Every structure is written in C-alpha cells, then in structure tokens.
Amino acid sequence: IVGIGGAGAGILQCFGASSAENVKLYTASLDERVRLALGENFQFIQLGGGLNHGLGSGGDPEVGRRAAEDSREELEAMLEGTRLLVMVAGLGGGTGSGAAPVLAKLAKEKGVFLVSVLIMPFSFEGTRRRAQAEKAHEEIARQTDILFCFENDYMENLFSNNRGARAVFEEVDRVLAKATAAIPMLETSPGLINLGLDELAMALENNDSRCLFGSGKGYGPHRAEKAAKAALDSPLISYHNAINYARTVIVHIAGGENKSATIT
C-alpha cells in the first residue's frame, strides 16, 4: 500500500505502521516534512529529490508529475516483486494529482494489479482544485484495475459538532484508512463465504466508481445488530441517506467462531 502526497500519507498513518502479513506500507511525497512527520514507521520515497530539493509541489500537478518521473527508478524498485498495489491519493493538489497518474501508468506497464483509492476535495477547496482532481481521476481510471473514489463532501456532518478542523480531518483520515485496509483484508483473509477482488471489480463496474463505505463493531448478545447499525451510521453512508441511491452493495461480516446472531 502506498500513500501519495500529504493526504495519502495521513491516511496510511492511521495504520500505526501495522498491516496484514505480506503487506508493506510506503509513502511517496515531494515534501520532506511528510517523512519527518511519519518517523521511521514507513518506507519513504522522496519524489524529485534532485528536482525540488525537499519542497512541496505548491499545488501544481505538473511539478508533481515531473517529480514522479524523476524518481522512476525508486518507484520501479518499490514495484519489484509486487503482485497487488493499493495506491492511496488525495486529488486536487499537486502531488496527488500529478504523481499518482505517473505511478498508475508505471504499475500498468509492470503488470501489477492496481487498486486506486482516490479522495476528491471538499467543495470549499475551490474550483481549481476540483478541476485538477477530475483530470487526475480520469487519467488514473484508464490505468487502474479497481477504482475507489470517495467524496470528501460526504463527510460534511462531521463538522456539525464544532470539534475543530483538525479533529474533523483526522476523523476523515480514519474513515478512509479503514476503507483502504479492507482491500488487502478481503484478498488475504479467507472465510466461510469468501469475498475477493473479483467481487470488488464487479461492484465497481460503472462509469465513475464513486463509493460509499461504512464499518462498525458490536459486542455482546446483540453484537451483529449493533455492528450493522454502526456501519450504517458511518459518515460516508449516512450522508443524505446516500445508500438509498447505491446500485451495488458488498457486505463483509467478520467475527469469532461462535457467530450465531443474524442481521436483518
């Protein structure tokens, strides 16, 4: 799993450097501050080190693209021996919108199965960032095998309790980290009724792959019902009853050996 730019790194940071067996965590960014914030928990790829001297992209996708192309050897080394790549990127800024399409194309050239998790900017971030995000989304979609696309605007209810912007963005990262972690989990964790990448590909077989995601946990005698209700109350799911407009739904249920409760 690789997080591109500050947004991708922030989502991966929620993993706490822990991941499933045979899953490696990478971050790739122009900005040296991303590496300093992450510490030693992740393998870090400095994009365009000789080009941009550790500075960010300044919101310019062209700078992000050139930096990724300048670091092609490092990206190829990351892909060596990789069967499945999950690429996480926030679109709209310079690094995500510029570097992520380059990595997607490189993965395609190497024959790596690519799952792209893309996050679209909030409306309040402006029309320029939205236009850059849509352009990058289109480029990545042409190269990727499975595309998840999440709308940050669907998280608007997180702002309603006046917790402050930092707390809200941290919660957004946690929600999206759970969605990202679910991808390798489906691939590596067999169950009584298996779900895999083929089911994901079928569910996301539409024009834009905009997604909703919810997760929940439950304990005690009514744990299944509690978990299901918690999942439906997740920010992306509860947004204006968005699930009512979904065309396809995948449900994954995990628990101990004594699973006996039912969900209706």
Side-chain angles (χ1 to χ4, degrees):
I1 306 177
V2 57
I4 305 295
I11 292 169
L12 260 65
Q13 195 168 16
C14 297
F15 287 22
S18 62
S19 61
E21 187 178 357
N22 297 326
V23 176
K24 295 181 180 179
L25 301 178
Y26 290 85
T27 58
S29 179
L30 285 78
D31 197 334
E32 176 72 10
R33 292 173 298 179
V34 172
R35 182 188 65 80
L36 297 175
L38 290 170
E40 303 299 325
N41 293 332
F42 297 83
Q43 299 186 58
F44 181 74
I45 298 175
Q46 179 78 59
L47 298 177
L51 175 73
N52 223 43
H53 309 292
L55 300 178
S57 63
D60 187 347
E62 180 60 23
V63 174
R65 183 189 64 79
R66 291 201 310 267
E69 292 175 345
D70 187 64
S71 302
R72 182 184 178 95
E73 290 185 5
E74 291 89 338
L75 295 175
E76 288 180 337
M78 177 188 70
L79 293 174
E80 188 69 31
T82 298
R83 185 176 61 86
L84 166 67
L85 178 68
V86 181
M87 180 179 70
V88 187
L91 302 184
T95 304
S97 299
V102 174
L103 178 58
K105 183 178 180 181
L106 184 57
K108 191 72 171 180
E109 292 173 357
K110 297 292 183 182
V112 176
F113 193 96
L114 176 63
V115 179
S116 297
V117 181
L118 307 179
I119 299 91
M120 304 300 282
F122 286 101
S123 295
F124 61 70
E125 295 182 60
T127 56
R128 175 174 172 268
R129 288 178 66 88
R130 184 72 192 194
Q132 291 180 169
E134 293 289 356
K135 183 175 184 293
H137 175 279
E138 182 179 343
E139 293 177 10
I140 295 168
R142 291 197 295 264
Q143 308 294 339
T144 195
D145 294 288
I146 296 179
L147 178 64
F148 287 83
C149 184
F150 296 104
E151 294 283 351
N152 264 343
D153 279 342
Y154 284 21
M155 305 278 199
E156 68 174 19
N157 60 325
L158 293 176
F159 288 91
S160 61
N161 55 9
N162 299 317
R163 290 183 299 167
R166 178 181 291 274
V168 170
F169 277 95
E170 288 175 349
E171 180 62 22
V172 169
D173 283 350
R174 284 192 289 271
V175 171
L176 295 172
K178 290 179 180 178
T180 302
I183 299 168
M185 179 189 70
L186 289 179
E187 178 69 3
T188 60
S189 301
L192 297 176
I193 302 176
N194 288 323
L195 292 176
L197 295 179
D198 50 343
E199 280 84 7
L200 288 179
M202 184 65 69
L204 295 170
E205 194 174 25
N206 58 65
N207 291 332
D208 62 7
S209 296
R210 262 47 174 197
C211 294
L212 306 173
F213 174 84
S215 65
K217 293 182 179 181
Y219 302 91
H222 303 291
R223 57 194 177 276
E225 182 179 358
K226 292 176 181 177
K229 287 182 176 180
L232 291 173
D233 287 337
S234 294
L236 284 169
I237 296 289
S238 61
Y239 175 81
H240 294 184
N241 295 315
I243 196 172
N244 292 336
Y245 304 96
R247 286 176 285 177
T248 309
V249 177
I250 287 183
V251 181
H252 182 263
I253 302 172
E257 290 294 328
N258 62 342
K259 290 193 294 289
S260 60
T262 59
I263 300 176
T264 58

